[in-house]
Amino acid sequence: MESRPLATQPHQRPPSKEEKTRSIWGDTFYHLFKNKLALVGAIILTFFILLAIFAPLLTSYTIDKTNPSIRLMPPSSEHWMGTDDLGRDVFTRVAHGARISLLIGLFSISGALVIGTTLGLVAGFYGRWVDMLISRIFDIMLAFPSILLAIAIVAILGPSLQNAMLAIAIINVPIFGRIVRSKVISLRAEEFVLAAKAQGMKNGRIMFHHILPNSLAPIIVQATLGFGIAIIEAAALGFLGMGASPPTPEWGRMLADSRGYIQNAYWTVLFPGLSIMLVVLGFNMLGDGLRDALDPKMKDQG
């Protein structure tokens, strides 16, 4: 009989000496910043974060000071982004609006992450009727279009920035919950979990000290992408008059107030809309880079 050649394994690049000495998170950041698109996203977000932090120092105008004599002035050396229909400086309002939009994303996604992760851990770890109950709640929430559910929540609670953040947090809970639940189900039969149970470790400690740390990768990616989604949802609620109230310079509200001047004063719509687009783009690019950096298969191809 003729001898057949042994099946060869797919070629994998052996790790270098430098890669062996890096920690897991150090290796993740190394691959993240090798990704040019992720780097561009990080630069965009850094710009808007610095703009939000130093907004009071970058302009001498206030967000609510009106001056009808200079209403709808085009961009100039005095007003970099022009003025709106009430004579307010658009750059000042965009810069301070960055604070509001980023804070909306931070608080909304943080709340959704904490609640969704906890429910996902409980559902995936205990299974049976607990899993069925929590999963059906997630299914019911996901059956509604997210923005319509957010509108319904704000309509019940009353239009305000705080209620808008609460609504955005609630509609994002099932997204985190389902991601964590599926990860926990794949991990609960692993040897390190069975060993912890055999040692008599309590379920809470197993979930939060053993399973959760091994589930962080998809949570981090979803949280990064969720920031951009939360900012869009907040802008949509603001545009509909269900978010921040005047004179708060929230980007979606600015678009709503300026939509009647889009033909003869384009700058009043352009700069808030461009800010929303760039921030969401930055979070999406960074999230895609994190997903690739946390995926071992993508690292092997690098």
Side-chain angles (χ1 to χ4, degrees):
M1 295 179 63
E2 295 182 1
S3 60
R4 297 181 179 178
L6 296 174
T8 58
Q9 296 293 331
H11 175 69
Q12 293 184 349
R13 178 176 58 84
S16 64
K17 185 177 181 181
E18 181 185 358
E19 290 175 334
K20 292 179 180 178
T21 58
R22 283 198 298 261
S23 66
I24 294 176
W25 291 109
D27 187 58
T28 297
F29 282 109
Y30 171 79
H31 285 88
L32 176 63
F33 288 105
K34 279 182 64 178
N35 187 317
K36 293 181 180 179
L37 290 179
L39 191 58
V40 171
I43 292 171
I44 293 172
L45 295 178
T46 301
F47 169 78
F48 277 97
I49 291 170
L50 293 176
L51 180 66
I53 293 172
F54 297 106
L57 304 178
L58 297 174
T59 176
S60 58
Y61 301 99
T62 58
I63 60 173
D64 56 353
K65 184 178 181 180
T66 61
N67 188 353
S69 64
I70 59 170
R71 66 186 298 270
L72 300 179
M73 281 185 59
S76 62
S77 59
E78 186 176 358
H79 299 280
W80 298 347
M81 295 182 180
T83 61
D84 64 9
D85 59 309
L86 296 177
R88 297 173 296 191
D89 183 64
V90 174
F91 172 74
T92 301
R93 291 177 62 77
V94 167
H96 283 81
R99 285 184 167 186
I100 296 172
S101 293
L102 292 174
L103 285 175
I104 288 172
L106 177 62
F107 287 113
S108 300
I109 296 304
S110 296
L113 188 152
V114 171
I115 298 172
T117 298
T118 302
L119 292 175
L121 276 171
V122 172
F125 186 81
Y126 288 103
R128 298 183 179 180
W129 68 269
V130 176
D131 183 20
M132 184 182 69
L133 176 62
I134 295 175
S135 296
R136 294 301 77 79
I137 294 173
F138 290 163
D139 291 340
I140 292 171
M141 294 176 68
L142 292 171
F144 295 92
S146 59
I147 189 63
L148 291 182
L149 183 58
I151 290 172
I153 294 171
V154 175
I156 293 171
L157 299 177
S160 71
L161 186 61
Q162 292 76 14
N163 290 340
M165 286 192 289
L166 178 61
I168 294 168
I170 290 173
I171 64 177
N172 281 282
V173 165
I175 298 174
F176 285 97
R178 293 187 73 172
I179 290 173
V180 174
R181 172 186 173 274
S182 62
K183 189 67 177 178
V184 172
I185 289 174
S186 66
L187 290 174
R188 67 186 182 187
E190 294 288 336
E191 293 182 357
F192 68 92
V193 176
L194 298 176
K197 289 182 177 179
Q199 293 175 1
M201 195 172 293
K202 294 183 178 179
N203 290 337
R205 183 174 177 83
I206 294 173
M207 286 191 289
F208 288 98
H209 287 79
H210 293 275
I211 294 179
L212 182 59
N214 288 280
S215 307
L216 286 178
I219 297 174
I220 292 172
V221 173
Q222 180 57 42
T224 306
L225 296 172
F227 261 90
I229 296 172
I231 289 172
I232 290 179
E233 291 166 341
L237 290 173
F239 187 85
L240 296 172
M242 306 189 77
S245 57
T248 305
E250 194 273 323
W251 289 338
R253 184 75 197 193
M254 291 175 67
L255 290 175
D257 293 340
S258 304
R259 66 182 183 274
Y261 307 98
I262 191 170
Q263 291 185 339
N264 59 347
Y266 66 90
W267 54 87
T268 60
V269 176
L270 173 64
F271 293 111
L274 189 62
S275 298
I276 295 171
M277 186 203 74
L278 288 175
V279 170
V280 174
L281 179 64
F283 277 115
N284 287 344
M285 294 169 76
L286 184 61
D288 289 342
L290 275 170
R291 182 187 58 202
D292 294 344
L294 291 167
D295 188 348
K297 296 179 181 178
M298 297 300 295
K299 293 179 183 180
D300 290 337
Q301 295 175 9

